[in-house]
Each structure stands twice: as C-alpha cells, then as structure tokens.
Amino acid sequence: QIQLVESGGGPVQAGGSLRLSCAASGFTYRTYSVAWFRQAPGKEREGVAALDIDGDTNYANSVKGRFTVSTDNAKKNLYLQMNNLKPEDTARYYCAAGRPGQSMNKFQALDAAWYDYWGQGAQVTVSS
C-alpha cells in the first residue's frame, strides 16, 4: 500500500527557513514523478515544486529561487527546502506522487490532476 507522510512543518518568522520531508512507504520515488502542493485557507491548491521521474524540476514562479525540491539517495524521502519564507507562503503543504513510470511535462508537473497519491499535509505558518 502506497503511503506518503509529511513532516517538518511549523511556525517560522519571515525570512527564515524550513525543510519539509515526505517519507514514502510501499514504493520509492525512483519510478514516480513527485511534487509539493500547498493550499491556504479559502484558496485553491497550487503546485509549488515538482521533480519528474527523469530528474527535471519545475517550480511555481512565486517560489523560484527560494524553494528546492530533492530526494535522498535511496529515493525514499522527498524534501522541500524553503528559504527566505514570506507570510504569503503560509499554507498546508502536501506531497504527491503520480502514476508509476509516468513522466510529466512542465504543464502537467504542477497540476494536481496528474497525481494519484497524497500525504496528509504539513502546516507552515510564516509570521511577519
């Protein structure tokens, strides 16, 4: 059974950093395209950062240069390093995995419709 479990969220002051982790069970990230999404109260879920099965990355314009998506060597943990955080980054962050063996182009990579497996989310709150 495929499961994703996020950790590492919490409160942080503007300008600070956090690293979110997403542990995979039942599969490895080696054969799945993966991504981070976020959803703030009253707003739609938006794609933040994606790591394709081919190793390509895609980022939302709002986080480019500040966020980095990566995995560990064993491909069992997905990370989102978030630097220079802003109050508008406050949201619940979700990791997601697509379909096995499926590569995604840049238009699909940050579209939630292409992802089948989701974690429960981790709250990030950035205060000014």
Side-chain angles (χ1 to χ4, degrees):
Q1 183 179 0
I2 291 176
Q3 285 190 320
L4 303 171
V5 179
E6 299 96 336
S7 61
V12 63
Q13 289 192 328
S17 298
L18 278 178
R19 188 176 80 158
L20 299 180
S21 299
C22 181
S25 62
F27 75 110
T28 71
Y29 295 122
R30 200 176 306 278
T31 54
Y32 286 75
S33 294
V34 290
W36 289 94
F37 290 79
R38 67 186 181 187
Q39 188 166 20
K43 295 188 176 181
E44 292 187 355
R45 186 170 297 191
E46 64 168 339
V48 174
L51 178 60
D52 184 73
I53 192 173
D54 298 324
D56 297 327
T57 56
N58 284 278
Y59 295 93
N61 288 334
S62 58
V63 306
K64 277 181 183 177
R66 301 188 298 122
F67 290 14
T68 303
V69 60
S70 64
T71 62
D72 61 5
N73 288 337
K75 304 293 186 183
K76 293 291 288 184
N77 290 287
L78 176 69
Y79 303 109
L80 183 67
Q81 178 66 44
M82 304 183 291
N83 298 327
N84 190 21
L85 282 159
K86 304 176 181 180
E88 50 264 42
D89 294 318
T90 295
R92 191 163 187 85
Y93 284 72
Y94 300 86
C95 61
R99 292 145 204 169
Q102 183 176 46
S103 180
M104 298 189 192
N105 61 39
K106 63 180 181 179
F107 302 106
Q108 298 168 325
L110 297 179
D111 184 345
W114 291 93
Y115 292 86
D116 287 347
Y117 304 99
W118 294 82
Q120 83 288 352
Q123 180 66 35
V124 173
T125 303
V126 185
S127 59
S128 57

